[in-house]
Amino acid sequence: MSGVTVTADALHTQRDHARYLVEEKNAHYLLVVKANQPGLHRGLRALPWKEVTARRYDREMSHGRKETRATRVLTITGLGLDFPHAVQAVRVLRHRTDLKSGKCSRQTIYAITDLTSQQASPQRLSRLARSQWTIENRLRFVRDTTFGEDASKIRTGHGPENMATLRNLAINTLRQHGHHNIAAGLRHASYDPFNRPLDLLDIP
């Protein structure tokens, strides 16, 4: 894992995870920051983004929509953000227009990384963030359509995060065993519930 850059959604934006990657695996990270880290999220929002000159613009059309992404990157060493090994912060403004309905949406995403400006330009960080969204959106779509995540009544404490982790485990395990259709893979496992799930997890 040495030298690899690990990207992850907000569920894994944990101090212990960052220390483990950098100090034990000699790896790098790009971690998304959302409201589950309220202090860190507020700190990122309060940074002087309007003064940033290191930026990247990307435009694309796909899946019936037009998307524009404006990525700004800021060195945060000495700015008081409390997160292990964090060196740069990233802010991405995403503007989407549905080409059929004309509906527009806007989203702001924040991320942090231990990569320095010499190691990762705004262009590279934009690509890393984009790859993470692709993975995250793919998992979220399957979790909702196959597991009914949005309709889940588990909303207190760490319940939603724990259930998302379990659903991701199920999805990734099925894919590792060649099940590209997750719903079909779940049905296959349900036909022998006492053995097939354990086989998928390599539990004798």
Side-chain angles (χ1 to χ4, degrees):
M1 181 178 276
S2 178
V4 170
T5 300
V6 175
T7 65
D9 63 13
L11 180 66
H12 297 287
T13 305
Q14 306 292 337
R15 286 162 174 78
D16 288 344
H17 293 181
R19 292 190 187 96
Y20 173 77
L21 288 170
V22 175
E23 298 171 14
E24 297 189 32
K25 293 298 182 180
N26 195 30
H28 300 288
Y29 65 77
L30 177 74
L31 302 174
V32 175
V33 179
K34 293 183 180 178
N36 64 324
Q37 293 273 2
L40 184 59
H41 191 257
R42 283 195 301 271
L44 289 172
R45 289 180 60 190
L47 291 173
W49 293 108
K50 291 183 179 179
E51 302 172 17
V52 174
T53 57
R55 62 185 71 180
R56 165 81 176 188
Y57 291 96
D58 296 285
R59 295 179 177 86
E60 66 178 36
M61 278 194 204
S62 63
H63 305 292
R65 64 173 179 254
K66 179 173 65 175
E67 180 172 301
T68 302
R69 297 183 298 277
T71 304
R72 298 192 181 198
V73 180
L74 178 66
T75 298
I76 57 175
T77 306
L79 295 183
L81 287 179
D82 179 26
F83 199 86
H85 305 289
V87 175
Q88 291 195 94
V90 183
R91 188 186 77 168
V92 183
L93 294 178
R94 301 169 69 186
H95 296 266
R96 282 182 174 178
T97 302
D98 187 291
L99 298 178
K100 184 176 181 180
S101 66
K103 182 180 178 181
C104 298
S105 63
R106 174 177 173 173
Q107 183 182 22
T108 304
I109 299 101
Y110 295 95
I112 50 176
T113 181
D114 70 306
L115 292 164
T116 66
S117 58
Q118 289 74 31
Q119 293 171 311
S121 64
Q123 289 86 347
R124 183 184 177 194
L125 292 174
S126 177
R127 289 195 300 269
L128 287 169
R130 178 65 174 166
S131 68
Q132 174 56 35
W133 297 331
T134 300
I135 296 169
E136 188 177 349
N137 290 339
R138 187 181 178 203
L139 285 171
R140 184 181 293 115
F141 177 78
V142 175
R143 291 202 311 254
D144 184 33
T145 57
T146 304
F147 293 93
E149 183 171 75
D150 286 351
S152 174
K153 299 184 183 300
I154 301 173
R155 304 186 186 280
T156 58
H158 293 288
E161 295 176 359
N162 293 338
M163 289 305 300
T165 299
L166 291 172
R167 292 176 185 121
N168 286 347
L169 173 64
I171 293 166
N172 290 328
T173 300
L174 287 167
R175 283 180 176 154
Q176 288 169 5
H177 285 79
H179 294 282
H180 301 292
N181 185 312
I182 302 303
L186 289 173
R187 286 194 297 273
H188 175 78
S190 72
Y191 296 150
D192 187 0
F194 297 105
N195 295 300
R196 289 182 180 176
L198 296 179
D199 291 341
L200 289 169
L201 293 169
D202 296 321
I203 298 175

